[in-house]
């Protein structure tokens, strides 16, 4: 089975440019999460969706960040305009609910390493 | 912000030694999970714990869900070089359905 798919794996851009990160969750999973990982702050939850609806976006740093989930198999995280402090590894994860025994396991993608110059 | 305190932050051990790391919180958690992250990859689930007091093993790995529901530990026995990586604890709380809270991670280095 295919895991969580993220693209691109690496992105290098210049300050001020728009960046779009993409994620395809595991088929059948109804939760999707976006995380950012840095040395200074560790793994931070940015936003998560349930059945394509954003549930909690309190982790989104500021208005420059936006995320969408137009359907159950695709999500984007957009940064516009990008800044050097946005450089990090961005992970997408998905999980399925309603299973017995209960499972809170999230499955992570390989991440997108973003460098903003 | 972070609600889980994970320690130690890093460990340097010799191949064959046992390893122990733990995670604590001031809040009660419903589930405890332990993940491992290899360089350049996303975290991968090692062990999931669902009941207070539960002790679960996965090969050389053993993890326990603390009886107070506020802590968990992970032990690795007879470490090998491929155990190198970052180990994260994570947990869920009933008030925030679906969300995982992560510790800051334990960086493990194993010397041959």
């Amino acid at each position: 089975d295919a895991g969580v798919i993220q693209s691109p794996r690496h992105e290098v851009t210049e300050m001020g440019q728009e960046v779009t990160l993409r994620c395809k969750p595991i088929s059948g999973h109804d939760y999707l999460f976006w995380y950012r990982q840095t040395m200074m702050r560790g793994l931070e939850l940015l936003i998560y969706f349930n059945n394509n609806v954003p549930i909690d976006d309190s982790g989104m740093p500021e208005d420059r960040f936006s995320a969408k989930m137009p359907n159950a198999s695709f999500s984007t995280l957009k940064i516009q305009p990008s800044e050097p402090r946005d450089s990090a590894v961005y992970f997408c994860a998905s999980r399925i609910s309603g299973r017995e025994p209960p499972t809170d396991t999230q499955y992570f993608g390989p991440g997108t390493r973003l460098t903003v110059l | 912000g972070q609600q889980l305190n994970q320690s130690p932050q890093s460990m340097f051990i010799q191949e064959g030694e046992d390893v122990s790391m733990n995670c604590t919180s001031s809040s009660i958690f419903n589930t405890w999970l332990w993940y491992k992250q290899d360089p350049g990859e996303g975290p991968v689930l090692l062990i999931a714990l669902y009941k207070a007091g539960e002790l679960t093993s996965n090969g050389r790995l053993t993890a326990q869900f603390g009886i107070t529901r506020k802590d968990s530990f992970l032990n690795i026995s007879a470490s090998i070089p491929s155990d190198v990586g970052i180990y994260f604890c994570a947990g869920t709380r009933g008030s925030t359905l679906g969300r995982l809270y992560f510790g800051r991670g334990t960086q493990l280095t194993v010397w041959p």
Side-chain angles (χ1 to χ4, degrees):
Chain A
D1 289 341
V4 175
I5 299 172
Q6 291 187 249
S7 64
R9 290 295 308 272
H10 302 273
E11 177 81 28
V12 180
T13 189
E14 292 188 344
M15 181 173 62
Q17 297 297 307
E18 177 179 295
V19 174
T20 299
L21 310 181
R22 297 172 176 79
C23 175
K24 177 179 170 54
I26 294 173
S27 177
H29 283 197
D30 55 344
Y31 279 88
L32 184 140
F33 304 81
W34 282 102
Y35 292 89
R36 177 172 67 176
Q37 185 177 38
T38 61
M39 288 293 292
M40 290 295 294
R41 301 174 67 87
L43 263 173
E44 301 175 274
L45 177 66
L46 300 178
I47 184 171
Y48 73 98
F49 297 83
N50 179 220
N51 292 320
N52 313 338
V53 176
I55 301 301
D56 184 352
D57 65 353
S58 61
M60 296 287 261
E62 47 198 274
D63 292 345
R64 297 185 297 106
F65 285 69
S66 63
K68 294 182 180 180
M69 192 163 186
N71 58 62
S73 58
F74 184 66
S75 176
T76 59
L77 178 67
K78 187 174 294 187
I79 308 172
Q80 166 62 22
S82 58
E83 296 182 4
R85 61 191 167 121
D86 300 331
S87 298
V89 181
Y90 291 82
F91 288 103
C92 176
S94 71
R95 63 164 280 222
I96 190 168
S97 60
R99 301 288 291 272
E100 292 294 334
T103 174
D104 297 296
T105 303
Q106 291 181 20
Y107 296 87
F108 282 76
T112 295
R113 181 173 293 277
L114 174 66
T115 302
V116 183
L117 302 174
Chain B
Q2 296 288 347
Q3 300 191 33
L4 297 182
N5 300 307
Q6 187 172 350
S7 65
Q9 187 174 352
S10 61
M11 300 184 73
F12 298 83
I13 64 170
Q14 201 149 21
E15 183 177 1
E17 291 183 2
D18 296 344
V19 172
S20 184
M21 59 192 78
N22 69 81
C23 218
T24 62
S25 172
S26 58
S27 303
I28 289 176
F29 279 75
N30 296 331
T31 307
W32 285 94
L33 305 170
W34 285 91
Y35 283 84
K36 182 193 177 195
Q37 184 178 22
D38 290 327
E41 301 294 331
V44 174
L45 181 73
L46 298 174
I47 291 180
L49 303 158
Y50 298 106
K51 296 179 183 178
E54 181 180 355
L55 184 72
T56 298
S57 294
N58 178 8
R60 294 179 296 106
L61 278 59
T62 302
Q64 184 158 30
F65 192 141
I67 198 69
T68 65
R69 297 172 62 190
K70 293 183 178 181
D71 64 310
S72 177
F73 72 74
L74 174 70
N75 288 342
I76 305 173
S77 62
S79 58
I80 59 178
S82 63
D83 290 335
V84 165
I86 304 176
Y87 292 78
F88 292 97
C89 64
T92 64
R93 297 175 59 191
S95 59
T96 50
L97 191 65
R99 174 177 178 164
L100 274 180
Y101 295 88
F102 279 86
R104 291 297 300 270
T106 295
Q107 173 72 60
L108 178 63
T109 301
V110 180
W111 300 103

